Amino acid sequence: MDQLFESTLRTVREWALRIPLSPEVLRDDPGGLRIIWETRTHLAELIVSRGEYAPYRFVSLQILDILQEPDQASVYSYFDSEDRTTDEILTALDRGIELIKERREQDA
C-alpha cells in the first residue's frame, strides 16, 4: 500500500506542475500534497494523502464556484477509490481543471 501511495503522490505531483494556474502549495512532503488554485470564479483544492478517515483512498479534488452562495455544493468533486487506476485518477483531475478553464474562457 505504501508503494501505491508513493507512486500516486509522485504522479499527481507531476500532473499538478503542468496546471496553467498559479498554485498555493499548502503541503508538499512525503506524507502528502495539498494545493489550492484560485481564479476569479473558482476555488479548487487538491489533496493527496492517506485517507484513513476520508471519503477517498488517496486523492480528492473539490472545485467551488466562488460567485455562488458560501454553502453551495461543489461544482466538481472527485474522490478516488480502491479500484481506480492512476490513469483514471488523472483523467478525473483533468476533467475538473478543464471545467475551470472552460468557465474562464466563457467569462473572458
Side-chain angles (χ1 to χ4, degrees):
M1 183 71 120
D2 281 339
Q3 235 178 0
L4 181 58
F5 172 75
E6 291 167 8
S7 172
T8 302
L9 176 61
R10 183 177 50 257
T11 301
V12 174
R13 183 182 286 127
E14 291 167 2
W15 171 87
L17 291 173
R18 297 189 307 265
I19 302 305
L21 303 171
S22 296
E24 180 179 346
V25 179
L26 303 176
R27 178 181 186 184
D28 187 1
D29 58 47
L33 179 68
R34 184 173 178 211
I35 299 175
I36 303 285
W37 290 281
E38 189 170 356
T39 69
R40 201 171 56 81
T41 57
H42 291 87
L43 181 65
E45 178 184 43
L46 172 69
I47 297 173
V48 182
S49 68
R50 290 178 177 86
E52 290 95 9
Y53 302 105
Y56 54 86
R57 177 182 56 169
F58 300 136
V59 180
S60 165
L61 177 65
Q62 297 282 321
I63 300 174
L64 299 174
D65 181 335
I66 60 177
L67 302 177
Q68 292 184 11
E69 296 298 318
D71 61 346
Q72 69 168 314
S74 300
V75 294
Y76 185 83
S77 296
Y78 174 74
F79 303 109
D80 77 329
S81 60
E82 299 291 330
D83 60 340
R84 295 292 175 233
T85 66
T86 303
D87 286 341
E88 290 171 321
I89 292 169
L90 294 179
T91 297
L93 297 178
D94 283 338
R95 249 183 273 143
I97 296 302
E98 284 302 314
L99 174 92
I100 292 173
K101 287 182 192 175
E102 288 171 11
R103 291 190 177 194
R104 280 178 54 195
E105 290 168 4
Q106 288 172 2
D107 292 339

